[in-house]
Every structure is written in structure tokens, then in C-alpha cells.
Amino acid sequence: MSTGLIITVIVAAVVVLAIALFLARRGSGPHSVKRRFGPEYERTVARHNGDAKAAERELRERLRRHGELRTKPLAAREREEYEAQWGTVQERFVDAPVEAVVSADRLLSRLAEARGFPGGGYDEQVSALSVHHPRRVQGYREVHAVAVLAREGQADTERLREALVHARALYEELMERSAHDSRGGGRHEHGRDHEHAGGAGPRDHGRLSERLHLPEAVRRHDTSGGRA
């Protein structure tokens, strides 16, 4: 092998190594964390009083613990049962909004566990959900917090309605069939996250409210006894 050819091979190898190192650093940098978590990144930064580095450390730790988690498909019977349970939650909101929101909170917990997320405690479950559903997990936090307040009589009907609307977004993603579902026919959750990279907007919430029929439920509740 000639000296010129050897030099060319060495230079090419150095270039390839430099590119690989650049891509590795880019993939593990703060921008990649921000892209991955979207609004969850912003919420975590705010919770750390604007300390982006502290937020990134926390989010990387969540990725370390839960990034390799693979969701489990729902059996046909399980899917039907959860659909029926959610339908009951919506219907119950008309006359018993507090009980409906409390039930929605518990249903999301059971559904997440059925899909393979940790079931040992709320905090760990939310942490795992934030990695795989970063644009919808806030709905779970909201319905959980409002359920606690509602038991103490500190949540009015409108707040209960909003919590249920936001919870519905995560419910739909958890119910979405993945590529590994035995019944097929759906996209994986990450594809849904990418599609809604900006989070749920007003139009999304409008469609959710329409499907829930919650405005009518609120009116019926008000005429039958006032706000919760």
C-alpha cells in the first residue's frame, strides 16, 4: 500500500470519528432533551426555578430509568373493558362530577399499569409516563391533583371538567394500538407524540370537549343543584 493511500485512509478514519463524536454529543446535548420532552422540558425547568441544567439532569435520570421500557399491547377484552369504563366516567360526570374525576384518576393508573408502566406508586408511574408520553402526561397530573382537591370540596365543576378533558388526551394515547398490538391498525405512541409536538392546542381541547359532551353535562349539573 502506497504512502499516499495510507494517509488517505487515516484522514478518512479521522473524519468519520469526528463526525461520530459530533453526532453523539449532539444527541446527548440539551437540545435533544428539549426536543424529546417538549412541554415537559419547560415544566421541569420552571419547577427548578429556571435552572435548565438541573432540569436536564432530572430528565436524563428519567430517561435512564424508563427509556428502555416497552409498552405492552392490550388484549381485545381489556380494551373493551377500558372503553366501557371510560364511557361510564363520562356519563357519571353529569350527576356526580367529583366521583367521575376520581374514577378517571384511578382508571388512568390501572390503564398505564396494564400497558406496562410501573404500578407501585403515582410518582414513579408519572415519571415513566413523562418519558413516553411527554406531551400528554400533564393531563394525568391535573386529574390526580383535582381529584384530591375535589374530595375536600375545593374544586368547582369547571375545573373538574377541564381536568377530565386533559385526562382524556392521555387516555386516548394509552388506548392507541401500537405496531406490536395483536389487533394492529394503529401507530405507536411516539408517532402520536411527534405529530402533536406542540402539545394540545385549543382546537384539540375543543374536539375533546365535544366528544365528552361536557358543556352540556355542566349545564345539566348546574340546573340540578349548582356547582360542585
Side-chain angles (χ1 to χ4, degrees):
M1 183 180 292
S2 67
T3 301
L5 183 58
I6 292 174
I7 293 173
T8 301
V9 171
I10 292 174
V11 170
V14 170
V15 170
V16 170
L17 180 60
I19 293 173
L21 288 173
F22 170 77
L23 292 176
R25 289 176 180 175
R26 184 181 179 184
S28 62
H31 293 297
S32 66
V33 174
K34 188 173 183 178
R35 286 196 303 271
R36 165 96 189 213
F37 284 93
E40 182 67 10
Y41 173 88
E42 303 298 338
R43 282 191 291 267
T44 307
V45 170
R47 193 161 51 77
H48 284 278
N49 298 316
D51 188 340
K53 290 184 178 179
E56 289 158 16
R57 283 195 298 269
E58 178 183 330
L59 294 175
R60 289 186 194 286
E61 176 59 19
R62 293 190 210 173
L63 279 170
R64 186 191 66 78
R65 294 201 315 270
H66 306 297
E68 297 302 316
L69 183 149
R70 292 291 177 265
T71 56
K72 298 187 297 186
L74 293 173
R77 183 172 181 177
E78 286 181 301
R79 184 177 298 281
E80 291 172 358
E81 288 175 353
Y82 282 114
E83 287 173 348
Q85 289 172 25
W86 187 265
T88 299
V89 165
Q90 294 180 170
E91 292 173 1
R92 196 176 186 185
F93 186 89
V94 175
D95 298 312
V98 171
E99 289 81 356
V101 167
V102 170
S103 295
D105 177 35
R106 293 171 179 166
L107 190 154
L108 282 180
S109 177
R110 294 194 304 272
L111 177 56
E113 186 174 0
R115 291 304 311 268
F117 291 94
Y122 168 77
D123 291 337
E124 191 68 5
Q125 192 174 66
V126 168
S127 178
L129 285 166
S130 74
V131 172
H132 297 273
H133 297 274
R135 292 167 179 82
R136 302 301 187 199
V137 67
Q138 186 62 15
Y140 186 17
R141 292 194 185 102
E142 289 180 18
V143 80
H144 184 76
V146 171
V148 172
L149 292 173
R151 293 191 194 99
E152 302 171 354
Q154 298 180 28
D156 62 22
T157 305
E158 179 60 19
R159 188 167 183 184
L160 292 166
R161 183 193 68 80
E162 289 178 355
L164 197 55
V165 169
H166 295 159
R168 170 75 186 233
L170 178 60
Y171 163 80
E172 288 187 334
E173 281 201 359
L174 289 172
M175 289 291 287
E176 193 172 54
R177 296 187 181 96
S178 73
H180 303 292
D181 195 318
S182 58
R183 293 178 65 183
R187 294 169 295 173
H188 194 275
E189 287 85 351
H190 296 301
R192 176 89 172 230
D193 282 344
H194 178 74
E195 179 184 353
H196 296 282
R203 293 180 62 187
D204 294 322
H205 291 161
R207 287 192 293 269
L208 289 171
S209 296
E210 184 177 336
R211 284 198 297 270
L212 282 167
H213 304 295
L214 290 181
E216 180 183 354
V218 171
R219 288 195 296 273
R220 289 177 61 184
H221 179 79
D222 287 342
T223 58
S224 62
R227 291 187 178 273

